[in-house]
Coordinates of all heavy atoms in Angstrom, one line a residue:
M8 N -12.6 -11.3 -22.0 CA -13.7 -10.4 -22.1 C -14.9 -10.9 -21.5 O -15.2 -12.1 -21.7 CB -13.9 -10.1 -23.6 CG -15.0 -9.1 -23.8 SD -14.3 -7.4 -23.8 CE -13.3 -7.4 -25.3
S9 N -15.6 -10.2 -20.7 CA -16.8 -10.6 -20.1 C -17.8 -9.5 -20.3 O -17.6 -8.4 -20.9 CB -16.7 -11.0 -18.7 OG -16.0 -10.1 -17.9
V10 N -19.0 -9.7 -19.7 CA -20.1 -8.8 -19.9 C -20.6 -8.2 -18.6 O -20.7 -9.0 -17.6 CB -21.3 -9.5 -20.7 CG1 -22.5 -8.6 -20.7 CG2 -20.9 -9.8 -22.1
C11 N -20.8 -6.9 -18.5 CA -21.4 -6.3 -17.3 C -22.7 -6.8 -17.0 O -23.6 -6.8 -17.8 CB -21.4 -4.8 -17.4 SG -22.1 -4.0 -16.0
R12 N -22.9 -7.2 -15.7 CA -24.2 -7.8 -15.3 C -25.2 -6.6 -15.2 O -26.4 -6.7 -15.1 CB -24.1 -8.5 -14.1 CG -23.6 -9.9 -14.3 CD -23.5 -10.7 -13.1 NE -22.6 -10.2 -12.1 CZ -22.4 -10.7 -10.9 NH1 -23.1 -11.8 -10.5 NH2 -21.6 -10.1 -10.1
G13 N -24.7 -5.4 -15.0 CA -25.5 -4.1 -14.8 C -26.1 -3.7 -16.1 O -27.3 -3.4 -16.2
C14 N -25.3 -3.5 -17.1 CA -25.7 -2.9 -18.3 C -25.5 -3.7 -19.6 O -26.0 -3.3 -20.7 CB -25.0 -1.5 -18.5 SG -23.2 -1.7 -18.8
G15 N -24.8 -4.8 -19.5 CA -24.7 -5.7 -20.7 C -23.6 -5.3 -21.5 O -23.4 -6.0 -22.6
R16 N -22.8 -4.3 -21.2 CA -21.7 -4.0 -22.2 C -20.5 -4.9 -21.9 O -20.3 -5.5 -20.8 CB -21.3 -2.5 -21.8 CG -22.2 -1.6 -22.4 CD -21.5 -0.2 -22.4 NE -22.6 0.8 -22.3 CZ -22.4 2.1 -21.7 NH1 -21.2 2.4 -21.2 NH2 -23.4 2.9 -21.6
A17 N -19.7 -4.9 -22.9 CA -18.4 -5.7 -22.8 C -17.5 -5.0 -21.8 O -17.3 -3.8 -21.8 CB -17.8 -5.9 -24.1
I18 N -16.9 -5.8 -20.9 CA -15.9 -5.3 -20.0 C -14.7 -6.2 -20.0 O -14.8 -7.4 -20.3 CB -16.4 -5.1 -18.6 CG1 -17.1 -6.4 -18.0 CG2 -17.4 -4.0 -18.5 CD1 -17.4 -6.3 -16.5
D19 N -13.6 -5.7 -19.5 CA -12.5 -6.5 -19.2 C -12.2 -6.5 -17.7 O -12.6 -5.5 -17.0 CB -11.2 -6.0 -19.9 CG -11.1 -6.5 -21.3 OD1 -11.7 -7.6 -21.6 OD2 -10.4 -5.8 -22.2
W20 N -11.5 -7.4 -17.2 CA -11.1 -7.4 -15.9 C -9.5 -7.4 -15.7 O -8.8 -8.1 -16.5 CB -11.5 -8.7 -15.2 CG -12.9 -8.8 -15.0 CD1 -13.9 -9.3 -15.8 CD2 -13.7 -8.4 -13.8 NE1 -15.1 -9.2 -15.4 CE2 -15.0 -8.7 -14.1 CE3 -13.4 -7.8 -12.6 CZ2 -16.1 -8.4 -13.2 CZ3 -14.4 -7.6 -11.7 CH2 -15.7 -7.8 -12.0
I21 N -9.0 -6.4 -14.9 CA -7.6 -6.2 -14.8 C -7.3 -6.5 -13.3 O -8.0 -5.9 -12.4 CB -7.1 -4.8 -15.2 CG1 -7.3 -4.7 -16.7 CG2 -5.7 -4.6 -14.8 CD1 -6.9 -3.3 -17.3
K22 N -6.3 -7.2 -13.1 CA -5.8 -7.4 -11.7 C -4.9 -6.3 -11.3 O -3.9 -6.1 -11.9 CB -5.2 -8.7 -11.5 CG -4.8 -9.1 -10.0 CD -4.6 -10.5 -9.9 CE -4.7 -10.9 -8.3 NZ -4.8 -12.3 -8.1
T23 N -5.3 -5.5 -10.3 CA -4.5 -4.4 -10.0 C -3.2 -4.9 -9.1 O -3.2 -6.0 -8.6 CB -5.3 -3.3 -9.1 OG1 -5.5 -3.9 -7.8 CG2 -6.5 -2.9 -9.8
T24 N -2.3 -4.0 -9.0 CA -1.1 -4.3 -8.2 C -1.5 -4.6 -6.7 O -0.7 -5.1 -6.0 CB -0.1 -3.2 -8.3 OG1 -0.7 -1.9 -7.9 CG2 0.5 -3.1 -9.6
A25 N -2.7 -4.0 -6.3 CA -3.2 -4.3 -5.0 C -3.8 -5.7 -4.8 O -4.3 -6.1 -3.8 CB -4.1 -3.2 -4.5
G26 N -3.9 -6.4 -5.9 CA -4.5 -7.7 -5.9 C -6.0 -7.8 -6.1 O -6.6 -8.9 -5.9
K27 N -6.5 -6.7 -6.5 CA -8.0 -6.7 -6.7 C -8.3 -6.8 -8.2 O -7.6 -6.3 -9.0 CB -8.7 -5.4 -6.2 CG -8.6 -5.3 -4.7 CD -9.4 -4.1 -4.2 CE -9.5 -4.1 -2.7 NZ -10.1 -2.9 -2.3
N28 N -9.4 -7.5 -8.5 CA -9.9 -7.5 -9.9 C -10.8 -6.3 -10.2 O -11.7 -6.1 -9.5 CB -10.6 -8.8 -10.2 CG -9.7 -10.0 -10.3 OD1 -8.6 -9.9 -11.0 ND2 -10.0 -11.1 -9.6
M29 N -10.4 -5.5 -11.1 CA -11.1 -4.3 -11.4 C -11.8 -4.4 -12.8 O -11.1 -4.7 -13.8 CB -10.2 -3.1 -11.4 CG -10.9 -1.8 -11.5 SD -9.8 -0.3 -11.6 CE -9.3 -0.3 -9.9
P30 N -13.1 -4.2 -12.8 CA -13.8 -4.2 -14.1 C -13.5 -2.9 -14.9 O -13.6 -1.8 -14.3 CB -15.3 -4.3 -13.8 CG -15.4 -3.6 -12.4 CD -14.1 -3.9 -11.7
V31 N -13.1 -2.9 -16.1 CA -12.8 -1.8 -17.0 C -13.5 -1.8 -18.3 O -13.8 -2.9 -18.8 CB -11.2 -1.7 -17.1 CG1 -10.5 -1.5 -15.8 CG2 -10.6 -2.8 -17.9
D32 N -13.6 -0.7 -18.9 CA -14.1 -0.6 -20.3 C -12.9 -1.1 -21.1 O -11.8 -0.8 -20.9 CB -14.4 0.8 -20.6 CG -15.7 1.3 -20.0 OD1 -16.4 0.4 -19.4 OD2 -16.0 2.4 -20.0
P33 N -13.3 -1.9 -22.2 CA -12.2 -2.5 -23.0 C -11.3 -1.5 -23.8 O -10.3 -1.9 -24.2 CB -12.9 -3.5 -23.9 CG -14.4 -3.3 -23.7 CD -14.6 -2.3 -22.6
E34 N -11.8 -0.3 -24.1 CA -11.0 0.7 -24.8 C -10.1 1.5 -24.0 O -10.6 2.2 -23.1 CB -12.0 1.6 -25.6 CG -12.7 1.0 -26.8 CD -11.7 0.6 -27.9 OE1 -10.8 1.5 -28.2 OE2 -11.7 -0.5 -28.4
P35 N -8.9 1.4 -24.2 CA -7.9 2.3 -23.4 C -8.0 3.6 -23.8 O -8.4 4.0 -24.9 CB -6.5 1.6 -23.7 CG -6.7 1.0 -25.0 CD -8.1 0.5 -25.1
V36 N -7.6 4.5 -22.8 CA -7.6 6.0 -23.1 C -6.2 6.5 -22.8 O -5.5 5.9 -22.0 CB -8.7 6.7 -22.3 CG1 -10.1 6.2 -22.7 CG2 -8.5 6.6 -20.8
F37 N -5.9 7.7 -23.3 CA -4.7 8.5 -22.9 C -5.0 9.2 -21.6 O -6.1 9.8 -21.6 CB -4.2 9.5 -24.0 CG -3.6 8.8 -25.2 CD1 -4.3 8.6 -26.4 CD2 -2.3 8.3 -25.1 CE1 -3.7 8.0 -27.4 CE2 -1.7 7.7 -26.2 CZ -2.4 7.5 -27.3
V38 N -4.1 9.2 -20.7 CA -4.4 9.9 -19.4 C -3.4 11.1 -19.2 O -2.2 10.9 -19.4 CB -4.3 8.9 -18.2 CG1 -4.5 9.5 -16.9 CG2 -5.3 7.8 -18.5
I39 N -3.9 12.2 -18.7 CA -3.1 13.3 -18.2 C -2.9 13.0 -16.8 O -3.9 13.3 -16.0 CB -3.7 14.6 -18.5 CG1 -4.1 14.8 -20.0 CG2 -2.8 15.7 -18.1 CD1 -3.0 15.0 -20.9
E40 N -1.8 12.5 -16.3 CA -1.7 12.2 -15.0 C -1.5 13.5 -14.1 O -0.9 14.5 -14.5 CB -0.4 11.4 -14.7 CG -0.6 9.9 -14.9 CD 0.6 9.1 -14.4 OE1 1.6 9.1 -15.2 OE2 0.6 8.7 -13.3
G41 N -2.1 13.5 -12.9 CA -2.0 14.6 -12.0 C -2.8 15.8 -12.3 O -2.7 16.8 -11.6
D42 N -3.7 15.7 -13.3 CA -4.5 16.9 -13.6 C -6.0 16.5 -13.5 O -6.8 16.7 -14.4 CB -4.2 17.4 -15.1 CG -5.0 18.7 -15.4 OD1 -5.2 19.4 -14.5 OD2 -5.1 18.9 -16.5
G43 N -6.3 15.8 -12.5 CA -7.7 15.4 -12.3 C -7.7 14.4 -11.2 O -6.7 14.1 -10.6
R44 N -9.0 14.0 -10.9 CA -9.1 13.0 -9.8 C -9.7 11.8 -10.2 O -10.1 11.0 -9.3 CB -10.0 13.7 -8.7 CG -9.4 14.9 -8.2 CD -10.3 15.5 -7.1 NE -9.5 16.2 -6.2 CZ -9.8 16.3 -4.9 NH1 -10.8 15.7 -4.4 NH2 -9.1 17.0 -4.0
D45 N -9.8 11.5 -11.5 CA -10.3 10.2 -11.9 C -9.3 9.2 -11.8 O -8.0 9.4 -12.0 CB -10.7 10.3 -13.4 CG -12.0 11.2 -13.6 OD1 -12.8 11.2 -12.6 OD2 -12.2 11.7 -14.6
R46 N -9.7 8.0 -11.6 CA -8.7 6.8 -11.5 C -8.8 6.0 -12.7 O -9.9 5.8 -13.3 CB -9.1 5.9 -10.3 CG -8.8 6.6 -9.0 CD -9.4 5.6 -8.1 NE -9.0 5.9 -6.7 CZ -8.6 4.9 -5.9 NH1 -8.5 3.7 -6.2 NH2 -8.3 5.3 -4.7
F47 N -7.6 5.6 -13.1 CA -7.5 4.7 -14.2 C -6.5 3.5 -13.8 O -5.8 3.7 -12.9 CB -6.9 5.4 -15.4 CG -7.6 6.7 -15.8 CD1 -7.4 7.9 -15.2 CD2 -8.6 6.6 -16.7 CE1 -8.1 9.0 -15.5 CE2 -9.4 7.7 -17.1 CZ -9.1 8.9 -16.4
V48 N -6.6 2.4 -14.6 CA -5.8 1.4 -14.3 C -5.0 1.0 -15.6 O -5.6 0.8 -16.6 CB -6.5 0.2 -13.6 CG1 -7.6 -0.4 -14.5 CG2 -5.5 -0.9 -13.2
T49 N -3.7 0.8 -15.5 CA -3.0 0.4 -16.7 C -3.1 -1.1 -16.9 O -3.6 -1.8 -16.0 CB -1.5 0.7 -16.5 OG1 -0.9 -0.1 -15.5 CG2 -1.2 2.2 -16.1
D50 N -2.6 -1.6 -18.1 CA -2.8 -3.0 -18.3 C -1.9 -3.8 -17.4 O -2.0 -5.0 -17.3 CB -2.7 -3.4 -19.8 CG -1.4 -3.1 -20.4 OD1 -0.5 -2.5 -19.6 OD2 -1.2 -3.3 -21.5
G51 N -0.9 -3.1 -16.8 CA -0.1 -3.8 -15.8 C -0.6 -3.8 -14.5 O -0.1 -4.4 -13.5
G52 N -1.8 -3.2 -14.3 CA -2.6 -3.2 -12.9 C -2.2 -2.0 -12.0 O -2.7 -2.0 -10.9
A53 N -1.5 -1.1 -12.6 CA -1.1 0.1 -11.7 C -2.3 1.1 -11.8 O -2.8 1.4 -12.9 CB 0.2 0.8 -12.2
V54 N -2.7 1.6 -10.7 CA -3.7 2.6 -10.6 C -3.0 4.0 -10.7 O -2.1 4.3 -10.0 CB -4.6 2.6 -9.4 CG1 -5.6 3.7 -9.3 CG2 -5.3 1.3 -9.3
I55 N -3.5 4.8 -11.7 CA -3.0 6.2 -11.8 C -4.2 7.1 -11.8 O -5.3 6.8 -12.0 CB -2.2 6.4 -13.2 CG1 -3.1 6.1 -14.4 CG2 -1.1 5.5 -13.2 CD1 -2.4 6.3 -15.7
V56 N -3.9 8.4 -11.4 CA -4.9 9.4 -11.1 C -4.7 10.5 -12.1 O -3.6 11.0 -12.3 CB -4.9 9.9 -9.7 CG1 -5.9 11.0 -9.4 CG2 -5.1 8.7 -8.7
G57 N -5.8 11.0 -12.7 CA -5.6 12.1 -13.6 C -7.0 12.3 -14.3 O -8.0 12.1 -13.7
R58 N -6.9 12.6 -15.6 CA -8.1 12.7 -16.4 C -7.8 12.3 -17.8 O -6.6 12.1 -18.2 CB -8.6 14.2 -16.4 CG -7.6 15.1 -17.1 CD -8.2 16.5 -17.3 NE -7.2 17.5 -17.8 CZ -6.9 17.6 -19.1 NH1 -7.4 16.8 -20.0 NH2 -6.0 18.5 -19.5
V59 N -8.9 12.0 -18.5 CA -8.7 11.6 -19.9 C -8.2 12.7 -20.7 O -8.7 13.9 -20.7 CB -10.2 11.1 -20.5 CG1 -10.0 10.7 -21.9 CG2 -10.7 9.9 -19.6
A60 N -7.3 12.4 -21.7 CA -6.7 13.4 -22.5 C -7.8 13.8 -23.6 O -8.5 12.9 -24.1 CB -5.4 12.9 -23.2
R61 N -7.9 15.1 -23.9 CA -8.7 15.5 -25.1 C -8.0 15.0 -26.4 O -6.8 14.9 -26.3 CB -8.9 17.0 -25.1 CG -9.9 17.4 -23.9 CD -10.2 18.8 -24.1 NE -9.2 19.7 -23.7 CZ -9.0 20.2 -22.5 NH1 -9.8 19.9 -21.5 NH2 -8.0 21.0 -22.2
P62 N -8.8 14.9 -27.4 CA -8.2 14.4 -28.7 C -6.9 15.2 -29.0 O -5.9 14.6 -29.5 CB -9.3 14.5 -29.7 CG -10.5 14.3 -28.9 CD -10.3 15.0 -27.5
E63 N -7.0 16.5 -28.9 CA -5.8 17.3 -29.4 C -4.6 17.2 -28.4 O -3.6 17.6 -28.7 CB -6.2 18.8 -29.5 CG -6.6 19.5 -28.2 CD -8.1 19.4 -27.8 OE1 -8.7 18.4 -28.3 OE2 -8.6 20.2 -27.1
E64 N -4.9 16.6 -27.3 CA -3.8 16.4 -26.3 C -3.1 15.0 -26.4 O -2.1 14.8 -25.7 CB -4.4 16.5 -24.8 CG -4.8 17.9 -24.5 CD -5.5 17.9 -23.2 OE1 -6.2 17.0 -22.9 OE2 -5.4 18.9 -22.5
E65 N -3.7 14.2 -27.1 CA -3.2 12.8 -27.2 C -1.9 12.8 -27.8 O -1.5 13.5 -28.7 CB -4.2 11.9 -28.0 CG -5.5 11.6 -27.3 CD -6.4 10.8 -28.1 OE1 -6.0 10.3 -29.2 OE2 -7.5 10.5 -27.6
S66 N -1.0 12.0 -27.1 CA 0.4 11.9 -27.5 C 0.9 10.5 -27.0 O 0.5 9.9 -26.1 CB 1.2 13.0 -26.8 OG 2.5 12.6 -26.5
R67 N 1.9 10.1 -27.8 CA 2.5 8.8 -27.4 C 3.2 8.8 -26.1 O 3.6 7.8 -25.5 CB 3.5 8.4 -28.5 CG 2.9 7.6 -29.6 CD 4.1 7.1 -30.3 NE 3.8 7.2 -31.8 CZ 4.7 6.7 -32.7 NH1 5.8 6.2 -32.3 NH2 4.3 6.7 -33.9
D68 N 3.6 10.1 -25.7 CA 4.3 10.2 -24.5 C 3.3 10.0 -23.2 O 3.8 9.8 -22.1 CB 4.9 11.6 -24.3 CG 5.9 11.7 -25.4 OD1 6.5 10.7 -25.8 OD2 6.2 12.9 -25.8
L69 N 2.1 10.0 -23.5 CA 1.1 9.9 -22.3 C 1.0 8.4 -22.0 O 1.0 7.6 -22.8 CB -0.2 10.5 -22.7 CG -0.2 12.0 -22.9 CD1 -1.6 12.4 -23.4 CD2 0.1 12.8 -21.6
P70 N 0.7 8.2 -20.7 CA 0.3 6.8 -20.3 C -1.0 6.5 -20.8 O -1.9 7.3 -21.0 CB 0.3 6.9 -18.7 CG 0.2 8.3 -18.4 CD 0.7 9.1 -19.6
V71 N -1.2 5.2 -21.2 CA -2.4 4.7 -21.7 C -3.0 3.8 -20.6 O -2.3 3.0 -20.0 CB -2.2 3.8 -22.9 CG1 -3.5 3.1 -23.4 CG2 -1.7 4.7 -24.1
A72 N -4.3 4.0 -20.3 CA -4.9 3.2 -19.2 C -6.3 2.9 -19.5 O -6.9 3.5 -20.5 CB -4.7 3.9 -17.9
F73 N -7.0 2.1 -18.6 CA -8.3 1.8 -18.8 C -9.2 2.5 -17.8 O -8.8 2.7 -16.7 CB -8.5 0.3 -18.7 CG -7.8 -0.4 -19.8 CD1 -6.5 -0.8 -19.6 CD2 -8.4 -0.8 -21.0 CE1 -5.8 -1.5 -20.6 CE2 -7.7 -1.5 -21.9 CZ -6.4 -1.8 -21.8
V74 N -10.4 2.8 -18.2 CA -11.4 3.5 -17.3 C -12.1 2.5 -16.5 O -12.7 1.5 -17.1 CB -12.4 4.3 -18.2 CG1 -13.4 5.0 -17.3 CG2 -11.7 5.3 -19.1
P75 N -12.1 2.6 -15.2 CA -12.9 1.6 -14.4 C -14.4 1.6 -14.9 O -14.9 2.7 -15.1 CB -12.8 2.1 -13.0 CG -11.5 2.9 -13.0 CD -11.4 3.5 -14.4
H76 N -14.9 0.5 -15.0 CA -16.3 0.4 -15.7 C -17.3 1.1 -14.8 O -18.3 1.6 -15.4 CB -16.7 -1.0 -15.9 CG -18.1 -1.1 -16.5 ND1 -18.3 -0.6 -17.8 CD2 -19.2 -1.6 -16.1 CE1 -19.6 -0.8 -18.1 NE2 -20.2 -1.4 -17.1
W77 N -17.2 1.2 -13.5 CA -18.2 1.9 -12.7 C -18.3 3.4 -13.0 O -19.3 4.0 -12.7 CB -18.0 1.6 -11.2 CG -16.7 2.1 -10.7 CD1 -16.4 3.4 -10.5 CD2 -15.6 1.3 -10.2 NE1 -15.1 3.5 -9.9 CE2 -14.7 2.2 -9.8 CE3 -15.4 0.0 -10.2 CZ2 -13.5 1.8 -9.3 CZ3 -14.2 -0.5 -9.6 CH2 -13.2 0.4 -9.2
K78 N -17.2 3.9 -13.7 CA -17.4 5.3 -14.1 C -18.4 5.5 -15.3 O -19.0 6.6 -15.5 CB -16.0 5.8 -14.6 CG -15.0 5.9 -13.6 CD -15.1 7.1 -12.6 CE -14.8 8.4 -13.3 NZ -14.9 9.5 -12.4
T79 N -18.5 4.5 -16.1 CA -19.3 4.6 -17.3 C -20.6 3.8 -17.2 O -21.4 4.0 -18.1 CB -18.5 4.2 -18.5 OG1 -18.2 2.8 -18.4 CG2 -17.2 5.1 -18.7
C80 N -20.7 2.9 -16.3 CA -21.8 2.0 -16.3 C -23.1 2.7 -15.8 O -23.1 3.5 -14.8 CB -21.6 0.9 -15.3 SG -22.9 -0.3 -15.3
P81 N -24.2 2.7 -16.7 CA -25.4 3.4 -16.2 C -26.0 2.8 -14.9 O -26.9 3.4 -14.4 CB -26.3 3.3 -17.4 CG -25.8 2.1 -18.2 CD -24.3 2.1 -17.9
N82 N -25.6 1.6 -14.7 CA -26.2 0.9 -13.5 C -25.2 0.6 -12.4 O -25.0 -0.5 -11.9 CB -26.9 -0.4 -14.0 CG -28.0 -0.2 -14.9 OD1 -28.8 0.6 -14.7 ND2 -27.9 -0.9 -16.1
A83 N -24.3 1.6 -12.3 CA -23.1 1.4 -11.4 C -23.6 1.1 -10.0 O -22.9 0.4 -9.3 CB -22.3 2.6 -11.4
G84 N -24.7 1.7 -9.6 CA -25.2 1.3 -8.2 C -25.4 -0.1 -8.0 O -24.8 -0.8 -7.1
D85 N -26.2 -0.7 -8.9 CA -26.4 -2.2 -8.8 C -25.1 -3.0 -8.9 O -24.8 -3.9 -8.2 CB -27.2 -2.7 -10.1 CG -28.6 -2.1 -10.0 OD1 -29.0 -1.6 -9.0 OD2 -29.4 -2.3 -11.0
F86 N -24.3 -2.4 -9.8 CA -23.1 -3.1 -10.2 C -22.2 -3.3 -9.0 O -21.6 -4.3 -8.7 CB -22.4 -2.4 -11.3 CG -21.2 -3.1 -11.8 CD1 -21.3 -4.3 -12.4 CD2 -20.0 -2.5 -11.6 CE1 -20.1 -4.9 -12.9 CE2 -18.8 -3.1 -12.1 CZ -18.9 -4.3 -12.7
R87 N -22.0 -2.1 -8.3 CA -21.1 -2.2 -7.1 C -21.6 -3.1 -6.0 O -20.9 -3.7 -5.4 CB -21.1 -0.7 -6.6 CG -19.9 0.0 -7.2 CD -19.9 1.4 -6.6 NE -18.5 1.7 -6.3 CZ -18.1 2.9 -6.1 NH1 -18.9 4.0 -6.2 NH2 -16.8 3.2 -5.9
R88 N -22.9 -3.0 -5.8 CA -23.6 -3.8 -4.8 C -23.4 -5.3 -5.0 O -23.1 -6.0 -4.1 CB -25.1 -3.6 -4.7 CG -25.5 -3.4 -3.2 CD -26.9 -2.8 -3.0 NE -27.8 -2.9 -4.1 CZ -28.3 -1.9 -4.7 NH1 -27.9 -0.6 -4.4 NH2 -29.1 -2.0 -5.7
S89 N -23.5 -5.7 -6.3 CA -23.5 -7.1 -6.6 C -22.2 -7.5 -7.2 O -21.9 -8.7 -7.4 CB -24.6 -7.5 -7.5 OG -24.4 -6.8 -8.8
G90 N -21.2 -6.5 -7.4 CA -20.0 -6.9 -8.0 C -19.2 -7.9 -7.3 O -19.2 -8.0 -6.1
R91 N -18.5 -8.7 -8.1 CA -17.7 -9.7 -7.4 C -16.2 -9.1 -7.3 O -15.9 -8.3 -8.1 CB -17.7 -11.0 -8.2 CG -17.3 -10.8 -9.6 CD -17.2 -12.0 -10.4 NE -16.6 -11.6 -11.7 CZ -16.5 -12.3 -12.8 NH1 -17.0 -13.5 -12.7 NH2 -16.0 -11.8 -13.8
G92 N -15.5 -9.6 -6.4 CA -14.1 -9.3 -6.2 C -13.9 -7.9 -5.7 O -13.5 -7.0 -6.3
Ligands
LIG316 ZN1 -22.1 -1.9 -16.6

């Protein structure tokens, strides 16, 4: 666990299958794959595309993945510019 230099929130780093380190929010979410254009990364490092499941849609059958931190960071602009990796 580390801390975002942009906003000070806790973040995790996941190494994607492409070999990049991606900052993510530590809380995983259920993802509806193929029904959106947001990107998520699983704890295995695979990037999947879709959207966050609504609470009533959550199901064990859905993939669980992490939201890239730049989606939620209020200082994403700074963060991207100075981000490492
Ligand atoms: Zn941040």
Side-chain angles (χ1 to χ4, degrees):
M8 185 86 69
S9 48
V10 171
C11 175
R12 286 183 295 178
C14 67
R16 284 192 212 155
I18 55 172
D19 275 335
W20 291 87
I21 292 180
K22 187 162 197 164
T23 69
T24 53
K27 292 188 173 173
N28 285 313
M29 187 183 286
V31 297
D32 288 350
E34 284 293 314
V36 296
F37 287 103
V38 177
I39 308 283
E40 270 188 285
D42 188 24
R44 295 178 153 218
D45 289 333
R46 287 172 168 228
F47 304 88
V48 60
T49 69
D50 62 359
V54 175
I55 60 177
V56 179
R58 65 171 171 82
V59 178
R61 288 189 284 271
E63 68 272 21
E64 293 173 323
E65 290 181 0
S66 148
R67 270 194 221 178
D68 296 334
L69 294 174
V71 173
F73 296 87
V74 181
H76 181 64
W77 60 71
K78 293 285 288 187
T79 61
C80 185
N82 298 310
D85 291 352
F86 183 66
R87 269 181 135 159
R88 220 167 24 245
S89 61
R91 52 175 192 190

